[in-house]
Structure formats: structure tokens, C-alpha cells
Amino acid sequence: MPKWAMVIDLDKCTGCGACQAACKMENNVAIVSPDEAQQGRVMFWMDMIVTYEGSYPNVHEKRMPKPCFHCENPPCTKVCPVGATYRNEDGLVGQIYHRCIGCRYCMVACPFTVKVFNWKAPKWLDGKLECFNPDVSRRMAGVVEKCSFCAHRLMNIKEEADREDRPIRDGEYVPACAESCPADAIYFGDVENKQSVVYKLSRSYRAFRVMEDLGVEPNVYYLSKRVSW
Amino acid sequence: MVNPTLDKHQELDATLYRPIYETGKGFYITMAVLVAIILWALYMYSTQLREGLGVTGMNQPITWGFYIVNFVFFIGISHAGTLISAILRLSKAEWRRPITRMAEIITVIVLAIGGLSPIIDLGRPDRLLHIYESGRLQSPLLWDVTSITAYFTASTVYLYIPMIPDIARLRDRGGKLKWAYTFMAWGWQGTERQKRVLNRAINVLMVMVIPIAVSVHTVISYIFSMTLQPGWHSTIFGPYFVVGAIFSGIAALLIVMIFFRRFYHLEGYLKEIHFQYLGTLLLVMSLLWFYFTFSEYLTGYFGAEPHETQIIMYKFSGPFAIFFWAMVLCNFVIPVVILSFRKFKTIPGVLIASIAVVIGMWLERLIIVVPSLANPRMDLPLGIYIPSFVEWSLFAGGIAVFILGYMLFAKFFPIISLWEIEEARTEGIREVKERIHKYLPGDEDFQESIQTIAKP
């Protein structure tokens, strides 16, 4: 069974934020007003962590796209009282929006702070700009949501591969962020398939995972020549 | 034959019945104010139901705020009652008699408020029953649901069972609500057999209630310590929370006792000595609390794991420094200074210490919940949490429910266990004498002679 993983090449990433925009459109993520965003209620499934090093005039800005890490041993699913967040049969960490009671225990338990909450009834672009992806269910107020690695795409691809009686090809299943990255900095695939790009990159000397000492085994690898991240 | 002491006792006990049959103007005014606060809190909660949790000050990464703080705090206060009363009963402390019921009522009311707090905190309270439909026992929240329900059941029964003889007295006096008292008295006639059964039931319950009470706050601490968050992931959290709970519980009990002594004229029952003894217990708990706090922060600070240090510095000298040092002042400096010296250990002194402890313990809960969330492990900007008006209103509502619940209880039932006081006057005195003689060497044949002494 494939083990889906993402590799983000930080040396290639320009920090443009195209992945964030693509993710928002793909997954019908609610659009939060600037006021609310200021209060810390911004909704990004693909977040961008911006940190600054040094002091003026020698400031160095680091940007790091952060999706859900889809851990092998996720701390969030352990604490959910109703099983609304769980590891599905594809090894992806999913959310069941209609079961979630909104206790936000999973958000508290996640060491990477990837989950977001619908603090108010979600709003999207209205009128002519309104465009929803029919494959992704819209969320309601009071539930937790997060990056799904575009699991709806995998469902379609699995069906297709089943029909044609073949395994899923490398590069066939890619989430919206990887697809849209103009710098080609995001790779996606089966990390256990030795022919895949992701396999090779994850073995690179530049590869690392965030907070590996926690033992949660994230499935998102970062590549960087820099030592300190 | 007229027995003067018996008359005096009856006169004294009449003061206990008075609040049940006489209602003053003050009662109605207080009640109106409290009901107004509760209605306001309900209105505020309805806005939260309509608009979602966005009306609170919570955000990402500080996803838990006042509601969870109050949850931990109120459940902590609830340890005042049943646990302390059970321990005092078990250790045969005779001075417990006027205190136990007051303590047990605190537990029942506060537990109801505390138990509701996480429900208020839910984004989808309409889906609460999913906990039964698809509950996962692996989640510490489920452990909580289980142990709080058990504690609530046990402590309600533990409050009710020792009340039966007193309810029977109210029934026999007749007057208002006789039918209700008749129903609740459960056919109590005070026969030997009934007394035996009652005592047996109390004995079983008091032993049962202690482990349940300890489990409740241990499991609440597990909600935090089972996660990987720095500042929470600590093995001493279980006992630390239990100690804090008993600590704040005793303080709350003392405040309630002083209040009732003053406004219900119970000076004859709650004497200086009760406050001295409970004050000493509070002092011990304060020292114990300090010991736990010291160990917790020293290990974190000494190990200097970066995330841990970041949170500790956030509390010591960062934005939470004012709360942290206020907590140390309220929980350690003030009570220890007041309660260590006989000169300050008067009833007003004990009241000041108790109020300080209750405030300090609330701050402690705040300091546990918020800073760990405000400092996420990832390189994110510091979280800022400013509780909204809705959260403050619901907090005030919770306190109002507590006071109102207590007032109403005192309206319908005697706040001090009458039959236990009476029992003390006869059997209690004899029993204590016998017990002391049992401890003494060479006094074994005293047993027979004592039978004649304390018969009324």
C-alpha cells in the first residue's frame, strides 16, 4: 500500500503563496475578513510560516509552507473524543466535519498547530465570484478542519486506476498546492515506491522533517541546504 | 422534669430552622440580582449559539480560554466538599459535624457548573450526544466525562443520604411543602434498624467517594498532560492538580462558612476552633501546593529544553508575569503569613487568606491553560488572548448560579446536619471518651464504668 508523502524544497520555494491560494480554491476554505484574521482566526490549510533572522539592516526572511503533516502516529487522532479526526485506510489523517463536536482538543494536541476552526459561520466569495469545488464538502460553524492532502483527488484517481486495473502512477495523484507551485518546489507521491521522485528526495542529504524527536513521524519532508530550520 | 441543657440545645437548634420558615427582604433582593445575572449570562450564551465561538476571545493558537480555565477551577473547588467531608468522617474528627453538609453542597452545585463549562466551550453543543454514539475511550475527554459523572452521582447521593433524618424532622414539623419532605424522607422513623442502615450507607459511600474524587482531578490534569505540549506534558500534573483542587476547595469552604456564620447567625455552631483547624489544613495545603509548583518549575527550568524554557520565561518575566507572581502572592505568601501566626489567624484573617487562595488558584488554572497554547512549538507569532465580554458574562453567570443554588438549598433544608449534632451530644461524647481510654495504657477495665456516664 502506498504511503503518501510530500517533499517541499525550501531552496526552490520563493514564498510566493500560490500554494495557499490554490489550496483555498480547491478545498472551499472559508474567506475570513481582515479584522478576524488580525484576531488570529485566519483559515489556511496550507499555511506560510514567516520568520525573521538577524537585525536591521541584515535581516533575513525565511518562508516555509506548512500543510498538515499527516503523521504516521498523529497526536490529534488519539485525543479526539468522537473519532472525528482519524487515519484513513490510505494513511491520510482525515476530518469528519459532521461528527466533530468542536471541542478543539485536536488543535491543542497538534504540536504543529496546523488545524483551524470555524469560529463563525464560514463565508466565501459571493455573487459571480462564487465558485465551489463540488468534490469537497463545505464546512459549517463550530468544527475543526485542516489540510487533507486533497484526499478527494485520490478517491477519483483510485477509481480510475481500479477500472484500468493498474497501480497509481507516480505523479498521478498530486494535491492542488503541488500542482500550482510555479517554482516546482512541492513534490508529492508514494514515499515507499523506490522509483518515485519523493522517495529519492526524501533520502537526500538536504532532507529533514520538523521536530522528528517527537516521534510522531510526519509525512512531509523539507529540503534545505541550510542547517538551522 | 426539666433539663436546662436540653432546653438550651433546642433553642439553639431553632436558629437552624429559622431561615427555612422566615424569609427576609435581603433574600429576595439578592435573589433578584442573581437571577438577573444568570438571565444576562444566558442571553450572552444565546449570542454564542447563534454566531458561533467567534464571539469569544479565543483564536488560533489559543484555542482554549476562559471556559476551560473555569472548568478546571470549578471542578477543583468541588473537591472541597465531598472529599474533605469524607476524610473528616473517616478520621472520626468530631469537629466535622457542623461542616460536612456545607461542604457537600458546594461539591454538588459547583460540579454542575464545572461540568457544564466544557459543554459551553463546544463549537457544536448540538452534537454533544456524539460522545455516546461514537465515543472513543482512548480520548482523555471521555475519561473526564466518565469520572465527573461518577463523582456527581456519588456526591449527590452522599449529600442526600445523611440528610434523610433531617428531612424527616422537617416533615414532622409540618407546614409548607410537607408532601415533598414526606417523599424525600423515605419513611424515616428513626428506628434502630434504620439508623444502622443509614450509618452503613454513609460508611460505604465515604470510602467510595475518596478514590472517585481523586480520580476526577487527576483525569482533568490528564487532558493536559497527555498531549505533547511543553508546560503540560508533565508526570506530576495528576497529584499537582489534586493538591490544588483540595487547596482551593478548603478556601471556598471557609468563605462559605464565614458567610453563613455571619448572615445566618450560626456563631453557636461554627466556632473559632473550626476556623483554627481548617485554617491549619489550609496552611498545610498551601505549603504542599508550593512544593509541587516549585518542583514543576525547577525541573522545567533546570533542564532548559528550549520550548519549555520559552514558556517558563513567558510566565516568569513575559506577558504572564503579573499573573504568575500574583498567583504566588495569593497562594503562598498571603496564606502562609496569615495562617502561621496566631495573631493573624482570626476569622477575618482566615477570610482574607481564603479569598486570596481562591483568586490565586483561579490564576493558576489560567497560567496552566493559556501560556502553553500561546507559545506553539512551531515558529509562529505569540498568541494573544483577550477574553471577550461574553466569556466574562458566563463566568459571572457561573458564580451567580453557585450563590443562588446555595441560597435556595439553605431555604429548603437545614444547612447544618441537625441529627449529627444531636448524635454528638450523646453518643459522640461517649464514643470519644471510650476511644481515648482505649489509647491509654492500663485503662482497659474502664469500658464498663463509662456506660453509665453519658446517658442523657
Side-chain angles (χ1 to χ4, degrees):
Chain A
M1 208 186 78
K3 183 170 156 188
W4 301 110
M6 187 183 276
V7 176
I8 302 176
D9 192 334
L10 295 172
D11 295 337
K12 278 166 104 182
C13 172
T14 60
C16 65
C19 49
Q20 290 179 283
C23 171
K24 262 210 135 121
M25 298 317 286
E26 174 79 16
N27 290 299
N28 303 334
V29 181
I31 290 161
V32 176
S33 73
D35 277 354
E36 290 273 297
Q38 211 39 225
Q39 280 180 48
R41 285 159 183 188
V42 73
M43 305 270 264
F44 280 123
W45 282 16
M46 174 59 113
D47 201 358
M48 184 72 77
I49 296 187
V50 185
T51 40
Y52 299 93
E53 259 178 15
S55 53
Y56 181 82
N58 298 314
V59 184
H60 188 85
E61 187 190 282
K62 294 195 293 189
R63 290 190 159 224
M64 177 179 177
K66 184 193 70 175
C68 172
F69 290 167
H70 292 269
C71 312
E72 283 297 293
N73 180 16
C76 57
T77 61
K78 280 191 204 165
V79 299
C80 180
V82 292
T85 179
Y86 69 110
R87 262 188 103 223
N88 66 16
E89 65 272 24
D90 298 310
L92 305 179
V93 179
Q95 291 278 144
I96 306 174
Y97 310 118
H98 285 84
R99 191 189 283 174
C100 176
I101 59 172
C103 68
R104 309 188 296 294
Y105 198 177
C106 56
M107 299 176 76
V108 167
C110 174
F112 312 112
T113 331
V114 300
K115 300 208 172 190
V116 288
F117 186 71
N118 288 281
W119 296 99
K120 288 193 173 166
K123 287 195 189 75
W124 294 274
L125 296 173
D126 15 274
K128 279 183 192 163
L129 288 169
E130 187 183 86
C131 48
F132 291 112
N133 182 351
D135 289 340
V136 180
S137 63
R138 281 193 271 164
R139 277 77 59 186
M140 58 297 279
V143 299
V144 176
E145 58 182 67
K146 67 161 191 75
C147 158
S148 65
F149 266 3
C150 290
H152 55 280
R153 293 189 173 198
L154 176 61
M155 276 156 73
N156 286 340
I157 289 161
K158 264 206 305 201
E159 259 174 44
E160 218 173 285
D162 267 0
R163 247 194 332 268
E164 292 164 20
D165 202 19
R166 58 168 175 84
I168 299 170
R169 284 187 293 265
D170 188 34
E172 195 177 0
Y173 163 39
V174 257
C177 51
E179 200 178 53
S180 68
C181 179
D184 262 343
I186 305 178
Y187 306 86
F188 193 86
D190 176 8
V191 79
E192 280 181 351
N193 172 5
K194 296 197 173 162
Q195 261 67 55
S196 75
V197 184
V198 168
Y199 173 82
K200 280 170 204 138
L201 289 174
S202 72
R203 307 268 151 156
S204 154
Y205 72 97
R206 293 188 298 145
F208 69 94
R209 291 185 288 182
V210 176
M211 284 181 250
E212 270 185 284
D213 52 333
L214 290 181
V216 297
E217 296 190 44
N219 272 322
V220 173
Y221 296 81
Y222 288 96
L223 301 177
S224 176
K225 274 188 195 145
R226 302 162 51 100
V227 185
S228 74
W229 254 99
Chain B
M1 195 182 84
V2 179
N3 187 339
T5 46
L6 209 64
D7 269 1
K8 202 179 132 215
H9 287 161
Q10 263 166 3
E11 203 179 301
L12 203 55
D13 288 350
T15 56
L16 293 184
Y17 289 116
R18 198 167 303 132
I20 301 174
Y21 296 104
E22 291 164 22
T23 313
K25 210 162 140 197
F27 181 86
Y28 288 113
I29 294 171
T30 325
M31 197 165 131
V33 172
L34 293 174
V35 169
I37 296 175
I38 293 167
L39 287 178
W40 174 252
L42 281 177
Y43 169 69
M44 287 322 259
Y45 182 57
S46 78
T47 64
Q48 183 185 311
L49 279 182
R50 276 201 312 276
E51 291 179 35
L53 279 168
V55 297
T56 65
M58 290 185 276
N59 53 44
Q60 284 121 216
I62 304 179
T63 42
W64 279 351
F66 259 35
Y67 298 145
I68 296 293
V69 173
N70 289 341
F71 164 58
V72 183
F73 171 73
F74 280 126
I75 304 265
I77 296 278
S78 83
H79 280 58
T82 307
L83 185 60
I84 292 168
S85 132
I87 290 171
L88 291 182
R89 258 193 239 266
L90 197 63
S91 58
K92 296 207 167 89
E94 282 295 326
W95 55 277
R96 71 170 193 270
R97 290 176 190 268
I99 301 173
T100 46
R101 182 166 303 159
M102 286 188 160
E104 288 152 18
I105 305 161
I106 298 185
T107 301
V108 173
I109 301 174
V110 171
L111 206 51
I113 303 167
L116 277 178
S117 296
I119 298 174
I120 291 172
D121 185 62
L122 289 186
R124 305 292 311 193
D126 51 321
R127 297 180 184 166
L128 181 66
L129 293 181
H130 285 200
I131 284 192
Y132 298 99
E133 198 183 291
S134 42
R136 287 175 68 251
L137 266 183
Q138 198 196 350
S139 166
L141 271 185
L142 252 277
W143 309 346
D144 249 355
V145 173
T146 318
S147 88
I148 291 176
T149 328
Y151 189 41
F152 186 71
T153 316
S155 54
T156 314
V157 176
Y158 186 62
L159 168 68
Y160 171 63
I161 299 259
M163 252 167 59
I164 293 176
D166 283 355
I167 296 174
R169 268 157 222 255
L170 291 170
R171 173 197 64 193
D172 297 342
R173 287 172 78 103
K176 60 166 189 179
L177 292 174
K178 188 167 189 286
W179 60 271
Y181 290 130
T182 311
F183 175 70
M184 281 189 286
W186 219 249
W188 176 267
Q189 298 298 338
T191 61
E192 276 307 308
R193 190 178 163 275
Q194 284 181 330
K195 276 186 187 162
R196 222 174 35 245
V197 173
L198 182 83
N199 277 328
R200 198 165 167 71
I202 294 175
N203 285 343
V204 170
L205 274 169
M206 79 186 173
V207 174
M208 224 174 65
V209 127
I210 294 173
I212 298 179
V214 171
S215 84
V216 170
H217 233 254
T218 309
V219 166
I220 287 178
S221 83
Y222 285 173
I223 291 192
F224 301 101
S225 62
M226 290 297 148
T227 66
L228 293 170
Q229 303 302 354
W232 287 358
H233 192 55
S234 155
T235 51
I236 71 163
F237 253 40
Y240 185 27
F241 270 49
V242 174
V243 164
I246 300 173
F247 184 34
S248 63
I250 296 173
L253 174 59
L254 277 164
I255 294 173
V256 168
M257 278 167 62
I258 292 170
F259 173 84
F260 271 100
R261 186 183 136 96
R262 171 91 172 68
F263 292 99
Y264 283 64
H265 310 291
L266 301 177
E267 287 86 354
Y269 291 89
L270 301 171
K271 297 186 178 173
E272 196 82 31
I273 190 89
H274 292 109
F275 297 95
Q276 295 285 340
Y277 283 175
L278 272 180
T280 310
L281 205 54
L282 192 66
L283 175 64
V284 171
M285 293 316 290
S286 173
L287 296 170
L288 206 53
W289 174 87
F290 183 77
Y291 165 66
F292 269 99
T293 309
F294 181 77
S295 318
E296 169 74 9
Y297 286 100
L298 183 69
T299 40
Y301 186 76
F302 199 94
E305 198 262 321
H307 295 292
E308 196 83 37
T309 314
Q310 192 189 343
I311 286 169
I312 289 175
M313 291 329 283
Y314 185 84
K315 296 179 189 177
F316 281 4
S317 54
F320 261 61
I322 178 161
F323 302 125
F324 184 84
W325 296 110
M327 167 188 85
V328 174
L329 183 76
C330 286
N331 277 353
F332 183 65
V333 181
I334 294 177
V336 167
V337 168
I338 289 181
L339 300 172
S340 302
F341 299 100
R342 189 159 293 163
K343 201 169 68 186
F344 302 134
K345 205 176 160 190
T346 54
I347 292 179
V350 169
L351 181 65
I352 294 169
S354 303
I355 292 174
V357 169
V358 169
I359 295 172
M361 280 312 293
W362 186 83
L363 287 173
E364 197 224 35
R365 308 315 191 188
L366 181 75
I367 286 165
I368 286 174
V369 174
V370 175
S372 280
L373 293 171
N375 294 275
R377 279 179 192 265
M378 294 299 277
D379 283 329
L380 294 169
L382 275 187
I384 294 169
Y385 171 63
I386 300 159
S388 74
F389 189 60
V390 176
E391 285 165 291
W392 281 110
S393 304
L394 284 172
F395 186 17
I399 294 168
V401 168
F402 172 68
I403 301 173
L404 184 69
Y406 222 109
M407 269 173 63
L408 288 178
F409 185 91
K411 192 74 226 141
F412 294 106
F413 304 103
I415 199 78
I416 283 175
S417 183
L418 280 158
W419 70 274
E420 279 181 281
I421 298 269
E422 257 168 45
E423 190 192 60
R425 284 176 187 144
T426 54
E427 280 143 62
I429 291 176
R430 200 184 67 226
E431 217 182 273
V432 170
K433 269 194 183 147
E434 263 176 58
R435 206 159 72 208
I436 291 171
H437 281 289
K438 254 186 239 163
Y439 304 150
L440 290 176
D443 251 3
E444 287 80 5
D445 44 330
F446 188 79
Q447 306 292 336
E448 296 98 57
S449 61
I450 199 172
Q451 303 297 332
T452 51
I453 297 177
K455 286 270 157 68

